[in-house]
Amino acid sequence: DEVALVLFNSLPWAWEGVVTADVDLPVDFLNRWALAQRPQPPAALTADSDYLDIYRWRPHLEWAGNPPIQPDPAFRSLQIRALGERDALPVQLESQARMTQTYSQESGHTLQQVVRARVSFRASIPALGYATYAVRPDAKPDKPAAQRYPANVLENAHLRVEIAADGTLTVTDRATGEVYRRLGYFEDGGDAGDGYNYSYPARDRVYNTLGLAPRISRLADGPAVQRYAIEYDWPLPAALDDRRQQRQEALVTCGLRVVVSLAADAPRVDVEVTFDNRARDHRLRMLFPSDVATDASRSDTAFDVVTRPVVPVPVSHEAWEEDPPATYPMQSWMDLSDGQRGLCLITEGLPEFEVLDTEAREVAVTLLRAVAYLAGTKADLQTANAGGGPNLATPEAQIQRTLTYRLAILPHRGTWDAAEVWRQALAHNTAPQSVVVERSLFRAGTQPPALGFLAIEGRNAVLSAVKRAEAGDALIVRLYNPSDDPVEATITLAQAIRDAAFVGLDEQPTNEAAPLLSDDGRQVQLG
């Protein structure tokens, strides 16, 4: 009467915290489970059978002919337990939906009807490994007492988040007492630029959501995750005028929805933004006033962290071809710190940010640039002497559709490297993956219910790759140190190895002395 939920953790350290997973329960499994809960029929039913026996058996027959499935009062939640453990874990049921799923068999692809239940619960998954949980429907769920907070407030041991009437967030770091106010408002301005460069129109009108009155509603307040939705109906100029010098007077309403989530014991606030883009020729950004006194930002790049000035270095009159960039790239996070406290913004697939040269040091994360041309003309561009390519119309670059973005807000002590903010960035963007397997498909296995294959310990020792060697049977493990200080690291493996050696990116041995290998052959010491 259970299915197996297998969670995979691709981080090189153990996942200890809340997991949100989609559990696909096959309808056939649900029907078998439902029928098993019904009283079993007597040996034989005849016209002379006791009335109560017939009455008890009748619902079973009706159920078999038209079995109810989730969502149904008989399935109010799910019971989840770690395989090998008896006690069920507190589970937060987020949503349920019926759908058709494609899955692979030896004979090819097959369709099956499933009920997808999205659940959140605390999980423990070894480093670069898996953990298995047993799942079954529950008609009488255990509802653990959840602490109630005031309206529009999310709180855990690390953070307190208050949602203001205009939808902005006030985040209090409980460890330091630092308060960050008016986080997460939106700014929308015209964009006369092209696919290469942003350019404000000659006469711009910039809108923001400060002072608006969005709809604010609580979505979840359970033992695993607290969530709120903030929804705006935001009128924005439809496009630039025909001369592309200013925004039109005509307005179109763009739907904007922000879901703010705070998981139990998480040191960051997760934010999901959905924007229905019906406007053209504009740039949408999300702003976070940091109030951090600094003249430089830090952001991650390939194998490094780059420091950049808040105020761009000006270009001389003689050399000017375009303005120096005020926006900078990031792979997954950027950070501002004064050495004592800092604010880190984590993004997934949003590579551009700007730190405004104001007292509040607002960080502006670009969500959307909707433009009309591959390369603009001199008449269009205010920030460059000419476009970077041919002046071709690109109507699809206006991105007239609904888009979804994921970000996170991480206040911290000290600098980015002291706080190791990259760990939270990886955890945000590399959540555990899940697979559901029916018990009827189980085969006898030789592995335990949970197992980690490889773990990395060491401050600012970042794992970039685990792969099979291009030649031979060796395992290639690549690490890098993005900080300015030397670090030590330990690699722990599930199985003993014969030896270890330093190699270059070409996977050929270097002249360095071999790293230390533990007596049991399962640990490699670096540094």
Side-chain angles (χ1 to χ4, degrees), residues 1-3 5 21-26 29-30 33 70-81 87-97 115-121 133-144 436:
D1 61 349
E2 294 177 316
V3 298
L5 172 66
D22 288 331
V23 182
D24 291 337
L25 300 171
F29 163 76
L30 290 174
W33 185 89
Q70 293 193 52
D72 182 270
F75 301 93
R76 297 183 185 274
S77 185
L78 296 178
Q79 273 195 16
I80 299 179
R81 63 180 178 85
D87 296 335
L89 299 166
V91 175
Q92 186 171 325
L93 183 61
E94 305 265 8
S95 64
Q96 302 175 43
V115 172
R116 173 165 292 178
R118 176 162 291 181
V119 295
S120 296
F121 64 98
Y133 293 82
V135 182
R136 68 175 181 176
D138 192 358
K140 297 180 180 180
D142 177 25
K143 294 184 177 180
V436 173

Side-chain angles (χ1 to χ4, degrees), residues 55-324:
Y55 181 81
R56 292 190 187 102
W57 181 227
R58 182 178 177 183
H60 186 91
L61 296 176
E62 291 177 348
W63 188 301
N66 185 26
I69 61 174
Q70 293 193 52
D72 182 270
F75 301 93
R76 297 183 185 274
S77 185
L78 296 178
Q79 273 195 16
I80 299 179
R81 63 180 178 85
L83 197 62
E85 302 290 335
R86 298 183 58 182
D87 296 335
L89 299 166
V91 175
Q92 186 171 325
L93 183 61
E94 305 265 8
S95 64
Q96 302 175 43
R98 307 181 188 206
M99 60 183 60
T100 301
Q101 181 192 65
T102 302
Y103 69 100
S104 299
Q105 288 185 324
E106 293 180 3
S107 58
H109 295 292
T110 304
L111 299 179
Q112 70 173 355
Q113 298 296 314
V114 301
V115 172
R116 173 165 292 178
R118 176 162 291 181
V119 295
S120 296
F121 64 98
R122 292 174 185 261
S124 178
I125 317 172
L128 267 173
Y130 68 90
T132 312
Y133 293 82
V135 182
R136 68 175 181 176
D138 192 358
K140 297 180 180 180
D142 177 25
K143 294 184 177 180
Q147 185 172 351
R148 304 293 293 183
Y149 298 103
N152 299 352
V153 171
L154 308 87
E155 190 167 359
N156 66 12
H158 298 280
L159 302 173
R160 178 181 174 87
V161 183
E162 300 176 53
I163 305 174
D166 61 2
T168 59
L169 309 179
T170 298
V171 177
T172 302
D173 185 346
R174 303 183 70 162
T176 64
E178 297 290 347
V179 181
Y180 301 84
R181 295 180 173 85
R182 299 176 75 190
L183 299 178
Y185 70 90
F186 295 85
E187 172 193 275
D188 189 85
D191 194 337
D194 53 32
Y196 295 94
N197 296 306
Y198 161 77
S199 180
Y200 51 86
R203 294 179 295 279
D204 199 6
R205 297 204 314 275
V206 179
Y207 293 69
N208 65 51
T209 56
L210 294 173
L212 299 185
R215 300 176 298 277
I216 303 174
S217 56
R218 177 183 284 158
L219 300 181
D221 191 15
V225 183
Q226 304 163 56
R227 299 189 204 276
Y228 272 85
I230 307 165
E231 298 174 287
Y232 303 82
D233 296 320
W234 197 11
L236 295 172
L240 292 177
D241 64 8
D242 292 340
R243 298 180 59 201
R244 297 181 59 77
Q245 298 298 299
Q246 63 185 2
R247 305 183 83 176
Q248 295 178 1
E249 295 295 331
L251 301 178
V252 292
T253 299
C254 299
L256 177 62
R257 187 173 192 258
V258 182
V259 175
V260 181
S261 303
L262 184 64
D265 297 332
R268 68 175 193 268
V269 184
D270 292 343
V271 179
E272 183 179 271
V273 178
T274 302
F275 181 67
D276 183 8
N277 183 37
R278 301 186 179 186
R280 303 191 301 276
D281 308 315
H282 69 121
R283 179 177 70 171
L284 175 66
R285 304 199 293 180
M286 193 173 188
L287 276 76
F288 303 85
S290 69
D291 292 313
V292 174
T294 181
D295 293 326
S297 66
R298 275 82 178 176
S299 61
D300 66 329
T301 186
F303 307 109
D304 202 1
V305 171
V306 180
T307 300
R308 297 184 174 91
V310 170
V311 180
V313 178
V315 178
S316 68
H317 179 76
E318 294 76 14
W320 186 88
E321 289 294 331
E322 62 182 23
D323 289 350

